[in-house]
Amino acid sequence: MVQFTGQLNNAFSALADDTRRGVLQRLGKREASITELAGDFDMTLTGMKKHVQVLEDAGLVVTEKVGRVRTCRLGTRKLHEEQAWIAQYQAMLEARYDRLEDFLERTRGGDE
Amino acid sequence: MVQFTGQLNNAFSALADDTRRGVLQRLGKREASITELAGDFDMTLTGMKKHVQVLEDAGLVVTEKVGRVRTCRLGTRKLHEEQAWIAQYQAMLEARYDRLEDFLERTRGGDE
DNA sequence: GGTAAACTGAACCATATGGTTCAGTATTGC
DNA sequence: GCAATACTGAACCATATGGTTCAGTTTACC
């Protein structure tokens, strides 16, 4: 099996934070510098830089420094694996529910 | 707006760990005691207890103690909000892509 | 050439996380 | 009643997280 788990860990933990989810939505509207993002989320440059770093490590954001400003944009990661994991989990829940239904059906048949 | 963000934080951070995702899949097959889970994941009882606590706080697992054994089962949380967040993010990416396409289309028309 | 802007890195801080051990407590079964 | 089982709680540990300040460095602009 490929090393999907590290990717899942990174992305899920990147998403487990208000500020970072906010930054993603903000970058959805328009690219932004660190300064802009720090302003929008009322945080120091250094603090925002760290969040951006986390998002970049998770592949959710790419940055490019030209001159003295670093521009942040949404990355290539589309959260397909994360979506797939959740979908598979839900399918499992469904299957369990079906088995329960089935069980109740058979039990009812036997009891009555 | 309702306080969805705390739920998202809890669930995403609960999912950002191999062991915990493993426990969820394990519990999908069959309910289990803390001892069983600790054995399956080669961890102390106390360690596993903490993971189960995190999952329980996120609503992904419910536990019930009868006699001296605490049985763990999958909870009621179906990750719909998390799935929705991801879907909305992907929709945003799509929309951006469409706008880009549109832009390129218009630019090409003007340039050629 | 000098000042301001934008970022960066190191250091620090408080708290959280993921694990352990150890010392209980409560239940079970002989 | 006693030993073993199953869990629990406190304490501890190392490292990570989310933030700060402060002291640079680089770039832009008058």
Side-chain angles (χ1 to χ4, degrees):
Chain A
M1 191 190 294
V2 205
Q3 198 72 357
F4 271 134
T5 87
Q7 282 188 38
L8 285 175
N9 289 354
N10 275 350
F12 278 137
S13 102
L15 293 180
D17 180 277
D18 294 321
T19 303
R20 285 191 296 260
R21 287 196 306 275
V23 167
L24 290 178
Q25 302 207 241
R26 165 66 185 75
L27 292 180
K29 295 200 189 67
R30 199 174 325 107
E31 62 183 30
S33 68
I34 303 280
T35 300
E36 277 179 273
L37 291 176
D40 289 353
F41 292 88
D42 193 31
M43 189 175 297
T44 58
L45 284 185
T46 313
M48 180 51 72
K49 178 83 183 319
K50 288 192 183 183
H51 281 302
V52 168
Q53 188 65 57
V54 171
L55 290 167
E56 202 165 6
D57 290 345
L60 293 166
V61 159
V62 290
T63 73
E64 180 201 9
K65 186 159 185 175
V66 32
R68 62 184 166 180
V69 21
R70 177 175 297 279
T71 301
C72 309
R73 299 184 187 82
L74 291 180
T76 54
R77 194 94 190 280
K78 290 172 174 45
L79 298 176
H80 288 317
E81 290 86 352
E82 294 67 25
Q83 194 184 40
W85 194 93
I86 292 179
Q88 181 225 313
Y89 181 69
Q90 292 174 336
M92 185 184 67
L93 290 177
E94 276 303 313
R96 285 176 53 77
Y97 185 71
D98 289 349
R99 264 191 283 147
L100 177 62
E101 288 265 278
D102 187 46
F103 171 74
L104 291 176
E105 195 67 33
R106 280 182 291 113
T107 310
R108 192 180 308 129
D111 276 4
E112 283 175 356
Chain B
M1 193 190 291
V2 205
Q3 199 73 358
F4 272 134
T5 86
Q7 283 188 36
L8 285 174
N9 289 353
N10 276 349
F12 278 137
S13 102
L15 294 180
D17 181 276
D18 294 321
T19 303
R20 284 191 297 261
R21 286 196 307 275
V23 166
L24 290 178
Q25 302 207 241
R26 166 66 186 77
L27 292 179
K29 296 200 188 69
R30 199 173 327 104
E31 62 183 29
S33 68
I34 303 281
T35 299
E36 278 178 272
L37 292 177
D40 289 352
F41 293 88
D42 194 32
M43 189 175 297
T44 59
L45 284 184
T46 313
M48 181 50 72
K49 178 86 184 319
K50 288 192 184 184
H51 280 302
V52 168
Q53 188 65 57
V54 171
L55 289 167
E56 202 166 7
D57 290 346
L60 293 166
V61 159
V62 289
T63 73
E64 181 200 8
K65 185 160 187 178
V66 30
R68 63 185 165 179
V69 20
R70 177 174 299 278
T71 301
C72 309
R73 299 185 187 83
L74 291 180
T76 54
R77 194 94 189 281
K78 290 170 175 46
L79 299 177
H80 287 319
E81 290 86 352
E82 293 68 26
Q83 194 185 38
W85 194 94
I86 292 178
Q88 180 226 311
Y89 181 69
Q90 292 173 335
M92 185 183 66
L93 291 177
E94 275 304 312
R96 284 175 55 77
Y97 186 71
D98 289 349
R99 264 192 284 147
L100 176 63
E101 287 266 276
D102 187 47
F103 171 74
L104 291 177
E105 194 67 31
R106 278 181 293 113
T107 311
R108 192 180 310 130
D111 275 5
E112 283 173 358

